[in-house]
Amino acid sequence: MNIVQSMNKYVYDGLVWDVLPNELDQEKKIMDKLFALKDKCFEHSSRLFALRMDFRLNHYTADNSPITHFHQQLIPALRKKYPKSLISYAWVREQVKSEAQHYHYVLIMNAHHVRYAPPLVDLMSQSWAKATGGTYWLPQNPWYLLGRNDADSQAGFMKRVSYLGKKRSKENTPAGVKCYETALRFPKRITGEIKPEKIAGSWAAGPELQTEESFSSIDKEPLKQSISLPKQLENYGLIPALPGKELSTNNLHLPRSLFWIWHRNAFRQQQKTLGISVEKYISDNRLQQKSATRHLKQRAFSPFWNEHIERYYCFYWPLGAPVKLYCELHGLKFSSARRYLVNFNAHKIKHKKSKQTMGYQL
């Protein structure tokens, strides 16, 4: 019994996972794609909602046009109903004794915006029927709620979805035709232009809201777009000119927390490129030893929160936009985001008259 259990394991990124296919039946390329897709989704959402379904056809097709037509129906419907959620999916093509192929499918979305399975089941089944005329099958306990720090929920889901990674029943796929695919798509960019010339100094350089076309799969890099901010910011005014004076402990023109956010970022960049120590950085920047040591040695934020911190303080905070509005626009949970973002009032900061701007990025 122990020997059988030991063969139903899969090692990914140094961790051992329980899976359904045994070692001889595991297709490594598919298994790696499934695990990578989960990790990529967690980079953009702390909670995920996943749904497993199977799709059947009435007639055989030598290509995967049924899936293509299915997505042409499904993706716009999901965009309309869940405009703030990422859309991620994986499918495999299989054929055993039946005349037509069938597809195993898993859909992953942002659990902050999607919490119930029935609406998704309706959308997916209707889209499949409209696109192909085929039928669907809903397995028992088809949906999962996953947490970024919840190992048990991830383990249960990956064991279930690992079924897609088996070698069996994929041998009949025609040569040159895909037998699997994974993809991750982000919400469309919210429109509402602010011209670059209205943005002071280095604030014009920063992260961008990503379009749906930015990611068609987990292997592609995001495309850089022009500066664009939501229309909801129109009531908050223009980005103010910030003081040209270099940051120092005597600079009272910035909120204290923002001051240390900048220094932590600058220190980590210099530490990575120059190997500079905390003590050397404190000495070079004439910072107070005790406070600076405590702030600079703080644990770094995750890439997910670093991106939101940079975006908020570069584009939203200077406009006076509150954290709560930022959370609504980006689908963040306010109770979590306020641990990383602070509502400073940029327009009440006393700025010195200067034609220069502070050349830094958070």
Side-chain angles (χ1 to χ4, degrees):
M1 187 67 175
N2 290 334
I3 295 177
V4 175
Q5 289 181 346
S6 66
M7 293 182 67
N8 287 72
K9 304 288 184 182
Y10 190 77
V11 179
Y12 179 79
D13 199 21
L15 298 177
V16 180
W17 297 79
D18 286 321
V19 295
L20 293 177
N22 63 51
E23 184 178 356
L24 298 177
D25 194 29
Q26 295 169 4
E27 180 57 62
K28 179 173 171 51
K29 289 183 179 180
I30 300 178
M31 298 288 281
D32 284 349
K33 285 286 187 178
L34 294 172
F35 280 94
L37 183 64
K38 170 187 68 73
D39 291 347
K40 190 69 178 178
C41 288
F42 272 126
E43 291 181 9
H44 300 276
S45 177
S46 61
R47 300 178 68 205
L48 302 175
F49 187 95
L51 179 65
R52 266 280 290 118
M53 292 183 71
D54 292 341
F55 297 107
R56 298 166 179 168
L57 291 168
N58 297 324
H59 305 285
Y60 172 84
T61 62
D63 57 15
N64 290 312
S65 57
I67 283 290
T68 300
H69 297 153
F70 170 58
H71 284 151
Q72 289 173 351
Q73 298 289 331
L74 178 66
I75 301 302
L78 291 174
R79 286 274 180 247
K80 183 177 180 180
K81 189 171 183 63
Y82 307 103
K84 296 181 181 180
S85 176
L86 60 84
I87 299 174
S88 178
Y89 57 81
W91 59 262
V92 295
R93 171 182 173 138
E94 296 185 356
Q95 185 179 6
V96 188
K97 297 181 180 180
S98 60
E99 294 182 1
Q101 78 271 22
H102 62 271
Y103 295 91
H104 297 296
Y105 196 97
V106 58
L107 177 71
I108 304 174
M109 301 191 71
N110 187 330
H112 295 291
H113 305 296
V114 183
R115 300 183 181 180
Y116 304 102
L120 285 180
V121 173
D122 290 342
L123 279 178
M124 295 174 72
S125 60
Q126 292 169 12
S127 296
W128 181 256
K130 187 174 182 179
T132 68
T135 60
Y136 77 96
W137 181 71
L138 194 65
Q140 189 176 9
N141 301 321
W143 64 273
Y144 284 82
L145 187 62
L146 313 177
R148 182 186 290 153
N149 299 318
D150 188 347
D152 291 338
S153 67
Q154 293 186 40
F157 171 70
M158 292 312 300
K159 183 175 183 179
R160 180 71 170 275
V161 80
S162 67
Y163 182 75
L164 278 65
K166 69 183 189 298
K167 292 180 179 179
R168 289 178 290 112
S169 66
K170 297 180 176 65
E171 302 89 346
N172 294 329
T173 304
V177 176
K178 289 182 180 180
C179 66
Y180 71 92
E181 183 182 52
T182 61
L184 172 59
R185 303 185 181 194
F186 294 116
K188 287 185 177 180
R189 182 175 58 184
I190 304 173
T191 58
E193 298 291 331
I194 290 184
K195 295 182 179 180
E197 59 266 23
K198 290 185 178 181
I199 299 181
S202 64
W203 295 105
E208 180 52 37
L209 303 181
Q210 296 170 343
T211 64
E212 176 182 336
E213 292 75 22
S214 298
F215 275 78
S216 60
S217 73
I218 60 176
D219 300 319
K220 293 185 178 181
E221 294 297 328
L223 302 174
K224 294 296 182 182
Q225 305 291 339
S226 59
I227 295 171
S228 178
L229 292 175
K231 289 182 178 179
Q232 288 89 331
L233 297 182
E234 291 178 355
N235 297 329
Y236 289 92
L238 300 179
I239 294 178
L242 297 177
K245 185 179 179 181
E246 293 183 359
L247 284 171
S248 69
T249 54
N250 296 323
N251 190 341
L252 302 180
H253 302 283
L254 288 175
R256 210 67 182 149
S257 296
L258 185 56
F259 172 86
W260 287 116
I261 285 173
W262 183 86
H263 270 300
R264 278 197 298 271
N265 185 62
F267 165 67
R268 284 165 187 150
Q269 290 180 357
Q270 293 184 31
Q271 186 182 48
K272 183 177 181 180
T273 57
L274 305 175
I276 193 172
S277 65
V278 172
E279 291 74 17
K280 173 66 174 173
Y281 182 87
I282 292 174
S283 175
D284 291 346
N285 291 274
R286 299 180 181 180
L287 302 175
Q288 188 176 358
Q289 181 75 31
K290 186 175 181 180
S291 298
T293 300
R294 175 168 55 86
H295 284 286
L296 296 179
K297 288 187 175 181
Q298 281 185 7
R299 183 178 178 181
F301 294 128
S302 67
F304 174 84
W305 283 112
N306 263 333
E307 180 181 348
H308 280 294
I309 288 171
E310 183 175 343
R311 181 183 291 149
Y312 175 72
Y313 283 115
C314 282
F315 294 113
Y316 293 72
W317 173 76
L319 294 174
V323 172
K324 191 169 184 179
L325 173 62
Y326 181 85
C327 292
E328 292 174 357
L329 295 173
H330 292 276
L332 300 178
K333 190 174 182 180
F334 177 64
S335 59
S336 299
R338 64 184 177 185
R339 296 165 52 192
Y340 305 93
L341 309 175
V342 182
N343 258 338
F344 300 119
N345 192 330
H347 298 297
K348 290 185 179 180
I349 299 174
K350 297 178 180 179
H351 300 299
K352 287 185 176 180
K353 294 182 179 179
S354 174
K355 294 183 179 179
Q356 295 179 335
T357 55
M358 182 164 48
Y360 69 84
Q361 294 181 355
L362 296 177

